[in-house]
Amino acid sequence: MPPSAAGQLDKTGAKEPKKGKLQQKDDDGEFLNLVALGHNGRTLAHARVFSGVMAGCVAGLLRYEGLAGVFIFVLVTLLHSAMICAKMGFHTQRHFPKAHDVFVNQSSGGILPFILFWTLSFDMVHIF
């Protein structure tokens, strides 16, 4: 039985009240809290630093040099972004202004920790 214009049927068969336009937009996540957006951006920046550290350790320990090490950074960063997206239930627009922001924003934020830990772990294991 298709839902009627007045409302949808819930589990008990009773009709739920019709949601107004404002409530529907709020449920869809069209209204974004600027404080929450700032917090989400900072948290994403911390996650980028963490993925850079992990990618640097992996690249250094596995003795990757040159572009192979950079490929490890890109791979770990994309994998970490996919895991963050999955943790949000693939509803990234409820947490960021655009759906692709979790993959694109601050993507170069972990490059300096990556280089630091790449050279540190490579030198400690393979040179000294």
Side-chain angles (χ1 to χ4, degrees):
M1 182 169 130
S4 64
Q8 297 179 347
L9 297 177
D10 64 2
K11 294 178 185 176
T12 62
K15 290 187 178 181
E16 294 179 5
K18 183 179 176 183
K19 293 183 180 180
K21 289 182 181 180
L22 188 65
Q23 181 65 36
Q24 185 65 35
K25 286 184 178 185
D26 187 36
D27 289 345
D28 291 340
E30 290 188 33
F31 297 118
L32 297 174
N33 185 353
L34 293 178
V35 176
L37 282 178
H39 179 265
N40 292 342
R42 286 188 304 275
T43 304
L44 185 62
H46 293 305
R48 296 284 188 231
V49 169
F50 177 74
S51 66
V53 168
M54 290 297 110
C57 289
V58 167
L61 292 174
L62 296 179
R63 200 174 186 158
Y64 284 114
E65 298 175 354
L67 290 178
V70 175
F71 175 72
I72 292 294
F73 171 73
V74 171
L75 182 72
V76 168
T77 302
L78 287 177
L79 182 65
H80 195 214
S81 296
M83 290 170 30
I84 291 170
C85 187
K87 179 69 176 172
M88 289 188 285
F90 301 101
H91 299 292
T92 58
Q93 285 187 327
R94 293 191 60 86
H95 305 280
F96 295 99
K98 297 178 186 158
H100 67 285
D101 282 349
V102 72
F103 291 98
V104 178
N105 278 3
Q106 303 183 10
S107 58
S108 64
I111 195 74
L112 290 178
F114 166 72
I115 293 171
L116 174 69
F117 279 87
W118 185 17
T119 56
L120 182 69
S121 63
F122 186 90
D123 290 347
M124 288 178 65
V125 173
H126 301 290
I127 293 179
F128 295 121

